[in-house]
């Protein structure tokens, strides 16, 4: 057991994880618990998007919440910036950092670093930084916004630039960068990442209950379904781009 305290920060909670990002972060947190003497997780999140959360998580309110509701696809940027720009969130995160005094902070996806980086600088704290990257976010966000057809080219460019600069800054600052694929790792190297570990996505074996099998067997009989095609995609557009 390594006698270090590690803090993991995300823009979504992981209690009762459902989507892929939640499952990945949850698995990482559980793995850390087997290695480090103390592990803490904090989510800065929009309460309306999640029904359950932990006491250590920080829901946003007021203008920050409204801003996310006006533009859900850029909500993760707003949540990350809220760590420094939203007085209530900044107060709570400052309290967490000063009380917990982490030796290591893992930033799950780039977004929390938008507010965390200036806050750490203001507090004079210099923990080791781990950047856990799930995508090359500036490219992904560009695709997402372009797929809507409602954003101007100039507005998309500003969002893309903000994320890209933050990814580059985090890569340069991070003591370790975790990528999900070889291609992502190559992109992160171009952003000056020093040490990279590739940890592909995976999932624990799912056990199907007898009740579920019975339900689907009945469903298939009722609608005379002999063959089924399954499509797995993201919960955001463009989730079937190129399908």
């Amino acid at each position: 057991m390594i006698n270090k305290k590690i803090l993991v920060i995300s823009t979504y909670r992981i209690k009762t994880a459902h989507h892929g990002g939640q499952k990945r972060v949850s698995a990482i947190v559980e793995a850390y618990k087997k290695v480090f003497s103390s592990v803490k997780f904090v989510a800065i999140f929009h309460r309306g998007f999640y029904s359950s959360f932990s006491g250590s998580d920080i829901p946003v309110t007021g203008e920050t919440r409204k801003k996310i509701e006006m533009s859900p696809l850029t909500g993760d940027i707003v949540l990350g910036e809220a760590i420094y720009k939203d007085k209530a969130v900044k107060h709570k995160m400052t309290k967490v950092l000063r009380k917990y005094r982490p030796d290591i902070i893992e930033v799950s996806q780039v977004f929390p670093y938008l507010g965390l980086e200036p806050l750490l600088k203001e507090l004079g704290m210099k923990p080791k930084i781990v950047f856990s990257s799930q995508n090359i976010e500036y490219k992904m966000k560009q695709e997402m916004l372009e797929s809507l057809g409602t954003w101007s080219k100039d507005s998309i460019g500003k969002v893309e630039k903000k994320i890209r600069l933050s990814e580059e800054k985090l890569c340069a600052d991070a003591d370790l960068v975790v990528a999900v694929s070889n291609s992502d790792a190559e992109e992160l190297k171009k952003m000056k990442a020093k040490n990279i570990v590739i940890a592909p996505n995976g999932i624990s074996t799912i056990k199907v209950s007898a009740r579920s099998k019975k339900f689907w067997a009945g469903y298939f009989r009722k609608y005379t379904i002999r063959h089924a095609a399954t499509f797995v995609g993201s919960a955001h557009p463009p989730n079937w781009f190129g399908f």
Side-chain angles (χ1 to χ4, degrees):
M1 188 67 72
I2 300 171
N3 188 28
K4 296 286 184 182
K5 293 187 288 185
I6 183 165
L7 172 65
V8 180
I9 303 176
S10 175
T11 54
Y12 42 74
R13 58 95 175 126
I14 58 173
K15 187 177 181 182
T16 59
H18 294 298
H19 65 64
Q22 288 176 301
K23 289 178 181 289
R24 181 177 175 86
V25 176
S26 178
I28 288 172
V29 169
E30 290 306 309
Y32 281 154
K33 288 178 180 178
K34 297 174 184 176
V35 179
F36 294 99
S37 57
S38 180
V39 180
K40 187 176 183 65
F41 173 80
V42 174
I44 296 85
F45 73 109
H46 186 300
R47 192 169 182 171
F49 298 160
Y50 300 102
S51 58
S52 60
F53 53 94
S54 301
S56 60
D57 295 334
I58 304 172
V60 296
T61 58
E63 289 303 313
T64 299
R65 178 168 172 152
K66 289 178 184 176
K67 196 172 180 181
I68 294 167
E69 290 165 356
M70 290 292 289
S71 181
L73 289 186
T74 56
D76 38 22
I77 298 171
V78 177
L79 288 167
E81 291 179 329
I83 293 173
Y84 193 76
K85 291 184 176 180
D86 184 305
K87 288 183 179 180
V89 176
K90 182 181 181 182
H91 174 75
K92 290 176 182 177
M93 183 55 75
T94 298
K95 192 174 179 180
V96 168
L97 291 168
R98 282 179 168 162
K99 185 176 180 180
Y100 190 61
R101 291 279 169 184
D103 300 292
I104 305 163
I105 295 179
E106 176 176 298
V107 181
S108 181
Q109 297 178 282
V110 67
F111 305 108
Y113 205 60
L114 289 163
L116 182 65
E117 191 256 340
L119 181 57
L120 289 174
K121 191 174 291 184
E122 186 175 288
L123 296 175
M125 300 179 75
K126 297 181 179 179
K128 296 288 185 182
I129 300 293
V130 175
F131 174 21
S132 183
S133 173
Q134 295 179 20
N135 305 284
I136 304 302
E137 296 292 348
Y138 81 88
K139 290 184 176 181
M140 187 172 186
K141 192 68 73 179
Q142 182 182 21
E143 284 186 356
M144 289 167 66
L145 297 178
E146 285 177 348
S147 73
L148 290 179
T150 57
W151 281 64
S152 70
K153 189 174 181 180
D154 183 58
S155 295
I156 293 172
K158 288 178 181 177
V159 170
E160 179 265 344
K161 183 179 180 181
K162 177 180 285 191
I163 299 171
R164 177 171 50 79
L165 292 176
S166 188
E167 282 182 299
E168 290 173 353
K169 182 71 170 69
L170 182 48
C171 278
D173 291 350
D175 297 275
L176 177 68
V177 176
V178 184
V180 299
S181 66
N182 290 319
S183 59
D184 275 16
E186 289 304 313
E187 288 283 344
L188 295 165
K189 282 179 185 176
K190 292 175 185 176
M191 294 185 195
K192 309 302 181 186
K194 298 180 285 291
N195 300 309
I196 299 180
V197 171
I198 298 170
N201 282 327
I203 193 166
S204 301
T205 302
I206 298 173
K207 295 179 181 179
V208 183
S209 68
R211 182 180 179 183
S212 293
K213 289 179 182 178
K214 185 178 180 180
F215 169 82
W216 286 110
Y219 185 93
F220 274 43
R221 281 196 303 271
K222 182 178 178 180
Y223 294 100
T224 61
I225 298 171
R226 290 195 298 270
H227 303 285
T230 302
F231 171 73
V232 180
S234 299
H236 55 72
N239 62 3
W240 60 5
F241 184 76
F243 179 65

